[in-house]
Amino acid sequence: LELTPEQEPRFQHRNTCIHYGYGSVAIIPVRENGKTVGTLQLNEKKKNAFTEETIVFFEGVCLNIGNALMRKQAEEELTKSESRLRMAHKVAKMGNWEWNLITNDLFWAEENYSIHGIDPLKVKPSFETFLSVVDPKQHEYINKAIADAIAGESSYDIDYTVIRPDNGEKCVINSKADIIKDNTGKPVKMIGTVQDITERKKAEEEI
């Protein structure tokens, strides 16, 4: 069905502006990911009040608004993704870590502290902190595994025993890592995961 000028929405909007005495009206879309999510409307009593430069300026404003909306949406999606990942790690008793071989800085994900029985508010992660909760009999084994992985002689995939400082329990942990090298081939970082496999080990022993 054809709409009369009175029924057509664009004419209704135009008539409203005329009713309020506006001689110039500019409507600039705000787009997010190619979709129009809003508009910026400029009203002025005078006719021909908006120059091309003015329109171009506010088009830039709307572009910035659209970009800000996309960034906010991306940040919200990232937050949701990180939350899901933390939950998955918690359920699987898995964490991740990153060790800078140049600066010796060590990053632990939240679940790493729980797996090793360490209070993140009291202890800063370091290789020394890590070894302090590992069965002393396995220190040499772990040091050799790291050295062999850095030298490229073997992959880093080990099981070790932790004596948790929070409750004294012994847990078996599996850790895997990749060696990251710079453009000269020098090892600069280890990035890996840890997982509490205590229950799996107990089940294997019962078979």
Side-chain angles (χ1 to χ4, degrees):
L1 296 176
E2 293 186 0
L3 299 176
T4 65
E6 291 73 21
Q7 295 172 316
E8 219 286 334
R10 288 173 298 177
F11 280 100
Q12 290 181 10
H13 185 77
R14 177 175 177 273
N15 292 338
T16 299
C17 293
I18 292 174
H19 173 76
Y20 285 103
Y22 295 121
S24 299
V25 177
I27 300 176
I28 303 170
V30 176
R31 292 188 174 91
E32 179 186 356
N33 289 325
K35 296 181 180 180
T36 299
V37 295
T39 58
L40 175 64
Q41 180 171 328
L42 308 176
N43 299 325
E44 176 55 57
K45 298 289 185 179
K46 298 178 182 178
K47 290 184 178 181
N48 302 317
F50 305 123
T51 64
E52 183 178 350
E53 289 78 9
T54 300
I55 298 300
V56 169
F57 172 79
F58 281 103
E59 284 178 339
V61 171
C62 288
L63 178 62
N64 288 335
I65 293 173
N67 289 338
L69 290 172
M70 284 192 290
R71 284 195 299 271
K72 180 174 175 57
Q73 184 179 32
E75 290 170 357
E76 290 175 349
E77 289 300 321
L78 179 60
T79 299
K80 291 179 183 178
S81 178
E82 290 175 342
S83 178
R84 287 192 291 266
L85 181 61
R86 284 194 298 270
M87 181 59 68
H89 279 180
K90 188 173 183 179
V91 171
K93 294 185 178 181
M94 177 180 286
N96 60 285
W97 54 272
E98 185 174 313
W99 185 20
N100 189 316
L101 301 175
I102 307 302
T103 65
N104 205 36
D105 291 332
L106 180 63
F107 163 78
W108 272 8
E110 182 179 343
E111 193 61 22
N112 284 45
Y113 294 94
S114 176
I115 289 172
H116 292 86
I118 294 175
D119 186 344
L121 299 178
K122 296 180 179 179
V123 179
K124 180 180 179 181
S126 68
F127 184 65
E128 291 71 26
T129 299
F130 162 66
L131 282 183
S132 72
V133 299
V134 174
D135 185 339
K137 297 177 182 178
Q138 296 181 325
H139 287 190
E140 184 178 348
Y141 156 68
I142 291 175
N143 283 321
K144 185 178 186 307
I146 293 172
D148 288 347
I150 292 174
E153 296 178 2
S154 64
S155 60
Y156 186 79
D157 185 351
I158 64 172
D159 294 344
Y160 58 89
T161 302
V162 164
I163 304 172
R164 294 174 58 101
D166 58 346
N167 57 22
E169 291 183 0
K170 285 189 176 183
C171 298
V172 181
I173 311 299
N174 172 261
S175 183
K176 297 180 176 67
D178 290 327
I179 305 297
I180 307 300
K181 300 179 180 181
D182 63 14
N183 54 12
T184 68
K186 178 181 178 181
V188 294
K189 191 178 294 184
M190 288 184 73
I191 298 178
T193 61
V194 291
Q195 184 174 19
D196 187 338
I197 59 170
T198 306
E199 296 303 320
R200 191 180 79 191
K201 283 293 185 181
K202 287 181 179 179
E204 290 174 354
E205 291 173 0
E206 292 175 358
I207 294 177

